[in-house]
Amino acid sequence: MSKLGWRQRFRAWITLDRVTDLTVDIFLIIFDVLTHPILIIVRIGRWFMNLWLVDRIKQLARWCAHWFERKRAYRLAHGHGIIRTYWWLILLSPVIVALIAMPLWLWVEFKTCWADPTC
């Protein structure tokens, strides 16, 4: 069996459905660019912000997981119980939950009041 070159693979790959989809996508992008050029900047900014935000959330989750892993190793090495190790975390848990829930609550309130200005 001979190995196909990139031209043969491209010709085998290209079909009427793919050409139609590609043409429609290109037309929609051009139409979108011509009618709303600021959207390009906003979408690129939103894309980079999303990448940055996702990276920070992943970094925070990894940090928390490793912190608990180190704490568990320390607790087991010194023979401490769970309450003795995490007492401050248990006491602060309502505050932590409130801080995590606050942005979600504010976002829901903002969306509700945005839709209904009389709220």
Side-chain angles (χ1 to χ4, degrees):
M1 178 181 268
S2 65
K3 190 172 184 179
L4 295 176
W6 68 272
R7 285 184 184 173
Q8 287 84 15
R9 281 184 286 161
F10 180 73
R11 284 186 183 174
W13 178 82
I14 200 88
T15 62
L16 182 61
D17 290 339
R18 288 185 176 149
V19 170
T20 305
D21 289 343
L22 185 64
T23 306
V24 169
D25 289 342
I26 290 172
F27 174 73
L28 289 174
I29 289 171
I30 290 172
F31 179 74
D32 194 31
V33 167
L34 291 177
T35 56
H36 304 289
I38 192 69
L39 288 179
I40 297 170
I41 298 167
V42 171
R43 286 181 181 166
I44 290 172
R46 193 172 91 190
W47 182 68
F48 279 116
M49 186 63 175
N50 190 23
L51 283 178
W52 179 82
L53 186 64
V54 167
D55 286 344
R56 294 302 170 260
I57 290 172
K58 287 179 182 178
Q59 186 179 19
L60 178 66
R62 284 188 202 112
W63 181 85
C64 288
H66 289 294
W67 183 81
F68 278 107
E69 183 182 32
R70 286 190 309 271
K71 274 298 218 186
R72 182 177 189 275
Y74 178 84
R75 180 178 65 82
L76 293 176
H78 290 85
H80 295 172
I82 290 178
I83 302 293
R84 182 174 177 183
T85 305
Y86 300 115
W87 64 269
W88 58 275
L89 194 58
I90 294 168
L91 288 178
L92 289 177
S93 61
V95 175
I96 293 169
V97 169
L99 288 174
I100 291 171
M102 185 69 68
L104 178 65
W105 176 72
L106 289 174
W107 181 74
V108 169
E109 278 295 315
F110 174 77
K111 286 295 210 178
T112 304
C113 289
W114 186 267
D116 181 21
T118 60
C119 74

